[in-house]
């Protein structure tokens, strides 16, 4: 959850459905220039190696604006592959997004990429694309040896003036903005300033038919208060644990769809940077992830904390939401790992009534048997001498969010048995996207 977010007043009205269509230049010319299979990656078995959940639009006073500049966005892979494609998003935008040019490469340092890895990205054979408001876009696949646990740099040239209305706000990773100009083909890009968000970028996929784990949640999954630029969120630690523990069977992509201040059941017109609630964003952020086979669910602490301190949300409401997540995931053959909510006594939003709801929700997560497996985050983080408190060794200082050591303990709480049991996803799931 977000430490300074006021309790929002009400849920916004539902947005009208929007058509998903793309304009990428003359279709006939594109089809003649590049074979259809090469454009789409049809028949290839894709898995996400990195991902973030889009949110927005931000409040107008805090919306970033770019004018004929290049964004060089840095992400950290989980697994490797020999071909790569990238998913961009204008899903929170109200006007078309024009990408004038794009590229990808393995980062060498700061804003520079290794020259031998720099690749131009195209869209239906065209180097530019206009993404309509409300839509995502996939790049064509390109040949690139993508290492596991390495930094990639995805560069976007944005002609004209562009507002970052679709954005993942808390990247905890430095990315870079150029002076005016198209630097997508430059190995070393001049930098006007750095940013710590991911505008317009939501997923990087690699070939090779690995399974993907999606971690969905709030700031506890987004990595709030972990050390920046060193990848110490719990999903990052879990990547390293899977690969160290399972060897070849640990080739499981891990995608972090946490959003700071996110909720399971509600979202708010005054706080859209906190993202749509999990039930609303489930199809986009879980089912549309390439190769998804596993889902880790750590959500609910904000539903409790943002409700009345004396008469909070009933645990039954959270349980109903968890059941919907489980049912929708199981419909698509996805194994669901539920995570208990961490201790919070001493946190600014703590009350005895809220604590009672947290404990009731945790009891259901542990003992109902409705999740396929359970990661007992509460047990991993709590102080044995004061179980309602986070262990001081793991406390970042606000009595809810862990420090780096606490995020490591969270990753260690995830059972490995579900991943050992089935490391290869069914063909229909890996080929859908």
């Amino acid at each position: 959850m977000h430490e300074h977010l006021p309790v929002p007043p009400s849920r916004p009205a539902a947005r009208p459905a929007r058509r998903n269509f793309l304009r990428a230049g003359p279709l006939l010319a594109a089809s003649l220039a590049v074979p259809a299979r090469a454009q789409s990656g049809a028949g290839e078995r894709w898995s996400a190696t990195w991902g973030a959940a889009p949110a927005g639009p931000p409040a107008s006073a805090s919306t970033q604006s770019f004018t004929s500049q290049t964004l060089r966005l840095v992400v950290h892979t989980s697994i490797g592959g020999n071909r790569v494609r990238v998913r961009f998003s204008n899903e929170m935008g109200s006007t078309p997004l024009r990408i004038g040019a794009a590229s990808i490469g393995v980062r060498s340092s700061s804003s520079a990429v290794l020259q031998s890895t720099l690749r131009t990205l195209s869209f239906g054979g065209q180097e530019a694309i206009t993404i309509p408001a409300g839509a995502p876009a996939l790049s064509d696949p390109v040949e690139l040896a993508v290492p596991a646990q390495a930094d990639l740099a995805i560069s976007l040239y944005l002609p004209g003036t562009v507002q970052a209305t679709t954005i993942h706000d808390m990247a905890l990773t430095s990315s870079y903005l150029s002076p005016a100009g198209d630097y997508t083909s430059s190995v070393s890009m001049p930098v006007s300033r750095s940013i710590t968000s991911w505008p317009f970028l939501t997923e990087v996929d690699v070939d090779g038919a690995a399974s993907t784990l999606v971690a969905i949640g709030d700031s506890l999954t987004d990595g709030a208060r972990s050390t920046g630029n060193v990848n110490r969120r719990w999903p990052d630690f879990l990547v390293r644990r899977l690969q160290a523990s399972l060897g070849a069977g640990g080739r499981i992509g891990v995608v972090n769809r946490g959003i700071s201040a996110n909720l399971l059941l509600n979202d708010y017109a005054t706080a859209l940077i906190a993202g749509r609630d999990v039930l609303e964003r489930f199809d986009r952020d879980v089912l549309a992830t390439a190769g998804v086979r596993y889902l880790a669910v750590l959500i609910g602490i904000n539903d409790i904390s943002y409700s009345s301190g004396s008469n909070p949300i009933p645990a039954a409401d959270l349980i109903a939401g968890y059941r919907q997540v489980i049912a929708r995931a199981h419909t698509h053959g996805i194994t669901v790992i539920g995570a208990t909510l961490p201790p919070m006594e001493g946190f600014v939003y703590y009350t005895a009534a809220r604590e009672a709801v947290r404990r009731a929700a945790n009891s259901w997560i542990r003992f109902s048997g409705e999740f396929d497996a359970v990661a007992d985050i509460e047990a991993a983080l709590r102080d044995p001498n004061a179980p309602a408190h986070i262990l001081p060794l793991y406390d970042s200082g606000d009595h809810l969010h862990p420090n780096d050591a606490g995020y490591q303990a969270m990753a260690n709480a995830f059972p490995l048995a579900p991943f050992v049991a089935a490391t290869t996803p069914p063909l229909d799931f890996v080929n859908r996207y």
Side-chain angles (χ1 to χ4, degrees):
M1 67 175 286
H2 196 288
E3 299 161 39
H4 306 296
L5 187 72
V7 177
S10 62
R11 183 181 176 92
R15 294 175 298 164
R18 289 171 171 166
R19 295 175 61 197
N20 268 356
F21 60 94
L22 303 179
R23 296 196 304 275
L27 295 180
L28 177 60
S31 64
L32 291 173
V34 181
R37 183 184 182 280
Q39 291 176 31
S40 66
E44 294 186 74
R45 298 171 63 177
W46 293 98
S47 306
T49 183
W50 174 88
S60 56
S62 59
T63 301
Q64 299 180 66
S65 183
F66 314 116
T67 303
S68 298
Q69 293 168 284
T70 301
L71 282 169
R72 183 156 284 179
L73 304 175
V74 176
V75 305
H76 194 70
T77 66
S78 53
I79 57 173
N82 294 309
R83 281 164 66 78
V84 63
R85 68 181 186 183
V86 182
R87 182 179 173 115
F88 300 99
S89 175
N90 190 26
E91 286 159 285
M92 309 304 174
S94 58
T95 59
L97 169 66
R98 180 70 174 171
I99 297 176
S103 67
I104 189 170
V106 178
R107 184 170 78 142
S108 57
S109 61
S110 187
S111 64
V113 299
L114 295 171
Q115 185 170 17
S116 62
T117 69
L118 189 60
R119 303 286 188 273
T120 297
L121 293 175
S122 61
F123 307 87
Q126 305 295 301
E127 292 190 1
I129 187 171
T130 298
I131 309 176
L138 272 176
S139 76
D140 300 332
V142 294
E143 301 287 336
L144 176 64
V146 175
Q149 299 189 55
D151 286 347
L152 299 179
I154 293 98
S155 301
L156 305 176
Y157 171 60
L158 303 172
T161 298
V162 176
Q163 303 245 306
T165 50
T166 301
I167 191 168
H168 187 88
D169 189 52
M170 194 176 72
L172 294 171
T173 299
S174 295
S175 292
Y176 304 93
L177 180 66
S178 78
D182 179 358
Y183 294 96
T184 56
S185 61
S186 299
V187 170
S188 183
M189 187 185 83
V191 175
S192 64
R193 63 183 174 92
S194 62
I195 62 173
T196 53
S197 57
W198 288 307
F200 312 123
L201 180 63
T202 60
E203 188 169 313
V204 178
D205 301 336
V206 294
D207 64 351
S211 300
T212 301
L213 165 70
V214 174
I216 199 163
D218 48 40
S219 59
L220 293 161
T221 298
D222 213 4
R225 292 180 165 250
S226 66
T227 303
N229 289 309
V230 288
N231 303 296
R232 291 180 182 169
R233 315 161 192 86
W234 73 255
D236 301 316
F237 283 115
L238 184 57
V239 168
R240 296 189 275 273
R241 182 171 173 236
L242 288 171
Q243 293 178 4
S245 301
L246 303 183
R251 191 173 182 274
I252 297 170
V254 177
V255 169
N256 188 332
R257 303 288 194 195
I259 307 177
S260 183
N262 197 233
L263 285 79
L264 172 64
L265 302 175
N266 294 300
D267 50 65
Y268 302 100
T270 55
L272 293 182
I273 200 65
R276 301 287 172 172
D277 62 79
V278 164
L279 293 184
E280 185 174 350
R281 66 188 180 97
F282 184 87
D283 287 9
R284 181 197 66 213
D285 289 348
V286 178
L287 299 185
T289 302
V292 59
R293 180 63 181 84
Y294 307 100
L295 173 64
V297 180
L298 174 53
I299 192 73
I301 202 74
N302 292 334
D303 297 76
I304 297 169
S305 296
Y306 293 168
S307 63
S308 167
S310 58
N311 186 29
I313 183 173
D317 288 5
L318 292 176
I319 291 167
Y322 294 142
R323 282 177 164 148
Q324 279 296 305
V325 169
I326 294 166
R328 290 164 69 182
H330 283 173
T331 298
H332 294 270
I334 297 169
T335 298
V336 189
I337 304 168
T340 55
L341 304 176
M344 62 178 292
E345 187 166 350
F347 184 60
V348 64
Y349 287 120
Y350 175 87
T351 67
R354 288 172 176 152
E355 173 68 1
V357 176
R358 186 189 72 86
R359 291 189 181 191
N362 279 353
S363 180
W364 183 86
I365 292 168
R366 283 192 188 99
F367 302 121
S368 70
E370 296 194 34
F371 284 104
D372 299 303
V374 172
D376 200 339
I377 299 302
E378 180 188 45
L381 295 180
R382 68 189 173 201
D383 185 341
N385 298 315
H389 291 259
I390 187 172
L391 188 71
L393 179 67
Y394 295 152
D395 192 351
S396 68
D398 71 356
H399 310 302
L400 174 68
H401 297 94
N403 55 23
D404 293 355
Y407 283 119
Q408 172 81 75
M410 290 173 67
N412 290 344
F414 277 81
L416 296 181
F419 307 106
V420 174
T423 56
T424 302
L427 290 179
D428 57 334
F429 298 126
V430 295
N431 286 335
R432 281 178 304 167
Y433 300 101

